[in-house]
Amino acid sequence: MSRTAPSEPLAEHPGGRHAARPAGPADPGPAHTAAPAAEQYVRPTVTGAAKILVVGPLGVGKTTLIGTVSEIRPLSTEATMTKAGARVDTAASHKKTTTVALDFGRMTLGDELVLYLFGTPGQQRFLPAWRDLAKGALGALALIDTRDLEASFDALGHLEDLDLPFAVAVNHFPNSPLHAYEDLHDALDLLPHTPVVNCDARDHTSSVQALIALVRHLIESATESS
């Protein structure tokens, strides 16, 4: 699948149901206190579980999203950016820390389905960790930043190489260009059935809705192939 970053910004969508909703920058996420005892364990009503990857380029909001939706204290492997790393990872010069292994959280949908969320490192050099984390995963939520669509190409390409179904969540930042979903599909060279949804990684409802869109896509894909 071929992707080419547009030579100039895509035409901004005037509004309506296909317009991307602006939001603020992804921050380190909400502070977490110890989860109540009732939330530390999987609910007895749960009858199914799914491993989900949360992927995307450096600084796109993966750690923030997992921290926002997780019902347990999320596991994060954030490390301070070194001077050597900062010279390589110039795409996120504002970041002071970066994920070096994985993020992990847990979220229950409808009291019956539990999602185990695994966030991947955003840098190309951590690709071997991707392949290990992808083992047993049913799908992935790919976060993108419309200010730099080209930065998402590697993540989307890795998902295709792994033959892993995914949905795209547009996490918006200040001054993010607003694009029609159809334009994003074309720019990212997505298959027609690939969902593209708006997402504010800092907002619980918005982030949960993005994951629900992914789960619906996985169910539809499994139904069509059966």
Side-chain angles (χ1 to χ4, degrees):
M1 184 171 290
S2 174
R3 298 184 175 88
T4 303
S7 57
E8 58 186 41
L10 299 173
E12 292 191 359
H13 196 276
R17 67 186 182 89
H18 292 302
R21 176 172 56 85
D27 57 22
H32 280 266
T33 57
E39 294 295 340
Q40 293 180 7
Y41 304 99
V42 175
R43 301 174 193 175
T45 55
V46 167
T47 58
K51 179 181 180 180
I52 300 295
L53 298 188
V54 179
V55 310
L58 179 67
V60 78
K62 303 180 295 293
T63 300
T64 299
L65 183 141
I66 290 176
T68 297
V69 303
S70 182
E71 62 199 17
I72 59 173
R73 181 186 291 274
L75 169 67
S76 179
T77 57
E78 291 276 290
T80 302
M81 294 277 285
T82 63
K83 291 183 178 179
R87 287 196 294 269
V88 176
D89 302 324
T90 56
S93 57
H94 63 284
K95 283 177 65 68
K96 302 301 182 184
T97 62
T98 184
T99 299
V100 295
L102 60 87
D103 295 309
F104 174 76
R106 190 189 77 206
M107 186 187 78
T108 304
L109 289 177
D111 292 327
E112 295 181 352
L113 175 65
V114 64
L115 303 183
Y116 293 107
L117 306 173
F118 290 79
T120 64
Q123 299 93 321
Q124 174 74 14
R125 61 182 178 276
F126 290 117
L127 178 58
W130 264 67
R131 300 195 181 282
D132 289 335
L133 287 175
K135 293 177 181 178
L138 294 185
L141 184 68
L143 292 179
I144 69 168
D145 179 354
T146 58
R147 299 174 302 178
D148 187 4
L149 290 178
E150 188 173 359
S152 302
F153 291 175
D154 282 343
L156 298 178
H158 294 338
L159 292 176
E160 291 168 355
D161 291 343
L162 294 168
D163 197 25
L164 196 63
F166 62 92
V168 172
V170 182
N171 190 23
H172 291 282
F173 298 81
N175 303 317
S176 291
L178 307 182
H179 302 312
Y181 290 170
E182 293 83 357
D183 292 337
L184 287 173
H185 262 274
D186 292 341
L188 298 173
D189 198 18
L190 301 175
L191 294 174
H193 63 273
T194 302
V196 177
V197 298
N198 287 316
C199 178
D200 181 345
R202 304 163 304 168
D203 180 78
H204 183 269
T205 299
S206 175
S207 299
V208 169
Q209 289 301 317
L211 288 164
I212 289 174
L214 169 63
V215 171
R216 285 174 176 164
H217 174 56
L218 297 178
I219 292 174
E220 291 171 358
S221 298
T223 302
E224 292 174 358
S225 61
S226 61

